[in-house]
Amino acid sequence: MTHVVDLTEAAAFRIKEMMEHNEEQGAFLRVSVNGGGCSGLSYGMSFTHDKEAADREDLQHDIPIVVAEEDAPILMGTKIDYKQSLMGGGFTIDNPNAIANCGCGSSFRTATKQGTPENC
């Protein structure tokens, strides 16, 4: 089965920690695309207990994931990882569909979706 997004073990471990800390066990991880950011689009990740009829649903590392049908083509093949360094930690998103990225790493655009760029 092809996943829309792929979670690494490190990302899944951190997401599970966050779910427990925020008392969100049993929630879905929603991965989304929003307008804005320097390049026009930005990524979103949140916990939700609501699943829409048009959502694509997946289960990875015991984490239920939902992606809106309209966001799926933009996110197809995206890898979500979590990296820890001396300066702290954070999620990294590697989207093979992005043709431009902002320095912040959370804003992008694709060949077919420009979004609404904002000033950095």
Side-chain angles (χ1 to χ4, degrees):
M1 175 182 180
T2 302
H3 303 292
V4 174
V5 298
D6 286 306
L7 292 182
T8 66
E9 285 188 45
F13 181 80
R14 183 65 181 125
I15 290 166
K16 286 178 184 177
E17 282 184 334
M18 294 171 75
M19 284 179 144
E20 187 174 318
H21 177 74
N22 294 309
E23 298 181 0
E24 291 285 359
Q25 295 92 332
F28 294 99
L29 171 67
R30 179 170 294 282
V31 182
S32 60
V33 174
N34 307 304
C38 314
S39 296
L41 299 171
S42 61
Y43 300 105
M45 290 194 324
S46 61
F47 298 126
T48 182
H49 291 274
D50 299 320
K51 180 180 156 310
E52 303 297 325
D55 282 343
R56 290 197 187 182
E57 187 175 350
D58 194 7
L59 183 68
Q60 293 180 45
H61 307 283
D62 296 322
I63 298 172
I65 304 165
V66 290
V67 175
E69 184 67 35
E70 65 188 25
D71 293 344
I74 299 168
L75 293 170
M76 187 60 69
T78 295
K79 179 180 172 184
I80 300 174
D81 196 5
Y82 186 82
K83 306 248 188 227
Q84 188 71 42
S85 72
L86 292 175
M87 298 295 290
F91 289 98
T92 61
I93 299 175
D94 181 19
N95 184 342
N97 304 305
I99 61 168
N101 292 293
C102 226
C104 60
S106 64
S107 181
F108 69 105
R109 75 172 179 261
T110 67
T112 58
K113 186 85 170 170
Q114 299 298 312
T116 51
E118 300 171 350
N119 292 330
C120 285

